[in-house]
Amino acid sequence: MSQDLNTLPPKNFAGTMARTTKTEIIKAELLRWIAREALRPHTRVLSQNTVARMFNVTQPTAYKALAELAQDGILYREKGQGTFVSKKWA
């Protein structure tokens, strides 16, 4: 049985589909933990090293996920202390 050529995806279809990055997966999981109150306001979040090991990613990927959540105001960082859940997001 042949398909109508108009219904087939273009050759580069796979390249145009949205992909979930490792950074997005980490961010989504941390947001789930916050939503389930496993991480409460002003609670220290896992270290960058721990996030990297837990999700089997590189340190820069773990850093990027935490940094993006901090940039969005979901987390905040205190120099020398760590990364914490922001009060308004918990």
Side-chain angles (χ1 to χ4, degrees):
M1 179 188 282
S2 67
Q3 285 187 320
D4 180 4
L5 291 178
N6 293 326
T7 62
L8 294 175
K11 240 180 177 180
N12 64 349
F13 180 72
T16 61
M17 293 179 64
R19 294 184 181 149
T20 304
T21 66
K22 292 176 182 180
T23 301
E24 291 167 340
I25 292 168
I26 295 168
K27 288 170 54 177
E29 187 62 26
L30 291 174
L31 287 170
R32 273 192 284 277
W33 293 348
I34 293 168
R36 284 188 263 157
E37 296 186 357
L39 293 174
R40 302 180 140 230
H42 309 293
T43 301
R44 190 174 183 175
V45 178
L46 301 170
S47 71
Q48 176 182 319
N49 293 338
T50 303
V51 170
R53 277 182 278 143
M54 180 179 280
F55 290 94
N56 196 30
V57 297
T58 64
Q59 297 245 354
T61 299
Y63 174 84
K64 183 177 179 184
L66 294 171
E68 287 181 8
L69 289 172
Q71 185 177 4
D72 293 341
I74 297 165
L75 303 177
Y76 66 93
R77 292 180 162 176
E78 289 187 7
K79 188 172 182 174
Q81 299 298 313
T83 305
F84 301 85
V85 177
S86 187
K87 183 177 180 178
K88 67 179 181 178
W89 287 98

